[in-house]
Amino acid sequence: MLFNSYSFLFFFLPVAFAGYFLLNGKHLTKLSRLWLVSCSLFFYGWWDPGYLPLILLSIVANFALGTVIGIATEHKRKLLATGICLNVALLCYYKYTGFIVDNVNALLGADIQIAPIVLPLAISFFTFQQIAYLVDSARGETREYDFLNYALFVTFFPQLIAGPIVHHAEMMPQFRKLRNLVVDHANILQGLGLFTLGLAKKVLLADTFAIWANAGFAAPQGIGFAQAWTASLSYTLQLYFDFSGYMDMATGAALLFNIRLPRNFDSPYKSASLQDFWRRWHITLGRFLRSYVYIPLGGSRRGTPRLLGNLFATFLIGGIWHGAGWTFAIWGALHGLGLVVHRLWTMTGRRLPPLAARALTFLFVHCAWVVFRAQSADDALHVLSAMFLKAPSPAGLTLLPLAAILAGLAIVWGLPNAREAVENNKSSSLGATVALAGLACASLIALEIRNASEFLYFQF
């Protein structure tokens, strides 16, 4: 089920909210959690009920492993390794089997045939979330012996499909707080404000930029200078508004239930370095990669060459996590190389002027998004060569995309992000309320015209 759909907005969310607080009001807290788990599984199964057994099996297996790891006095590391391997194997089977077979066939001239494997929704997110839980259990940082609580931790619908990747310790204490079991009108106002801004970002901005991005990347051969920049900048803005819109809607929906999700998006295009970018873009994924990949590899503790190698490997893995394709691996490698260069640069003690640092960071991220979006490395080269090697020409440039791109850049560079805007407007002024109501109406009209489209991170 999509956040940006009538079924979610006018049926699922009101029913889930009303049932949860009605049961809590009668002091039936266990039943209220069961209700929320049931609603979340219904939300997940709306896409394809056939994959409900998979997520349930994953939850049961990881809860059992986490419990055993938590109480074990011996063989804790072996149990943890087993749990991680099982989770990674599940993810690899569904996400990478077809990719691996295709490349083996191409490399060896073989003709291995397998049945098509459909990627289950959210498998990347709930797998990483549960790997983090197992590691935290082994470290003694998490204790959970209530299956219902664990199921709620994994399935809570605002964060289930595309994150953020949450930790047990930052989520479950919130569900236990007595004051969170009653309706909080301040949280409702803040949550609805965030949700409305996120909905507007998705249906008014991201889905509009998608039109020009899709047109350019659909036929990159022979693309001109103006079309290449239009398509690439449109995708850069589409992905920004799509992902930040999802995060605003997820955060807003969770706030209705008095749950505060960790910040996962913080104006990343304002970053002054690539390291700063990864502290602002998909923050919880960066946190996961740092805590469960970079540091276990050795982090910065084993000298500069090892540090640089660990940085590169971490972001290569992060690229591969996004999808089964060479473009994702290349994108991850580019960011890994970029961070290696940034680390070497900082070791010299030199600093770029702030404006130049921001411009260079944005240009690098923007060009890397071209590789990320392209269907193949050849397609990416066609677009990048048109952007930088073809003579600038107004041919193919139209006024509407240009105006929209300039407006989009003005928004991401010049305005506070949605979370800051809502948190700084706690008094809910009349002007802000009217503006939000206008955005909500415009978004619903756009949904009626275009129909709901999937969020981009559903593909990853």
Side-chain angles (χ1 to χ4, degrees), residues 37-103:
V37 170
S38 300
C39 289
S40 297
L41 290 173
F42 176 84
F43 172 82
Y44 182 83
W46 185 271
W47 176 69
D48 186 346
Y51 283 106
L52 277 173
L54 178 67
I55 190 173
L56 288 171
L57 177 63
S58 176
I59 290 169
V60 170
N62 281 288
F63 173 73
L65 280 165
T67 301
V68 172
I69 289 169
I71 64 177
T73 56
E74 296 181 347
H75 308 300
K76 197 180 287 276
R77 291 173 67 92
K78 290 182 180 178
L79 289 167
L80 175 61
T82 300
I84 292 173
C85 288
L86 288 173
N87 278 283
V88 171
L90 180 72
L91 181 61
C92 287
Y93 171 74
Y94 280 102
K95 198 164 186 175
Y96 304 107
T97 299
F99 174 70
I100 293 170
V101 169
D102 288 344
N103 280 277

Side-chain angles (χ1 to χ4, degrees), residues 378-399:
D378 283 344
D379 286 356
L381 285 174
H382 282 300
V383 176
L384 289 169
S385 63
M387 290 166 59
F388 294 103
L389 299 180
K390 289 192 175 180
S393 167
L397 184 65
T398 53
L399 184 59

Side-chain angles (χ1 to χ4, degrees), residues 129-274:
Q129 186 165 318
Q130 293 187 101
I131 287 174
Y133 170 77
L134 295 180
V135 175
D136 292 347
S137 295
R139 293 173 176 172
E141 298 172 1
T142 296
R143 291 285 188 272
E144 181 58 81
Y145 305 118
D146 185 308
F147 178 72
L148 181 60
N149 286 343
Y150 183 76
L152 180 57
F153 157 64
V154 177
T155 64
F156 184 48
F157 72 87
Q159 53 82 37
L160 172 61
I161 306 299
I165 301 169
V166 297
H167 287 281
H168 185 277
E170 67 191 350
M171 288 293 291
M172 297 319 296
Q174 297 187 65
F175 284 103
R176 290 193 288 268
K177 286 184 179 179
L178 292 178
R179 65 184 181 185
N180 285 350
L181 302 180
V182 296
V183 174
D184 186 316
H185 295 92
N187 280 345
I188 289 175
L189 288 174
Q190 220 178 96
L192 289 176
L194 270 173
F195 193 94
T196 300
L197 289 172
L199 180 64
K201 286 180 183 179
K202 168 60 176 170
V203 302
L204 299 178
L205 297 174
D207 289 352
T208 298
F209 285 116
I211 298 169
W212 303 311
N214 292 341
F217 281 96
Q221 296 84 2
I223 194 171
F225 173 85
Q227 296 98 323
W229 278 99
T230 298
S232 60
L233 284 170
S234 292
Y235 181 70
T236 291
L237 291 169
Q238 177 199 358
L239 187 55
Y240 180 98
F241 289 119
D242 192 281
F243 189 41
S244 65
Y246 180 91
M247 285 301 122
D248 291 340
M249 295 169 82
T251 303
L255 264 179
L256 299 181
F257 296 85
N258 300 322
I259 303 300
R260 292 188 175 272
L261 297 178
R263 188 182 290 268
N264 202 38
F265 198 90
D266 187 18
S267 302
Y269 289 172
K270 295 178 182 178
S271 302
S273 70
L274 203 53

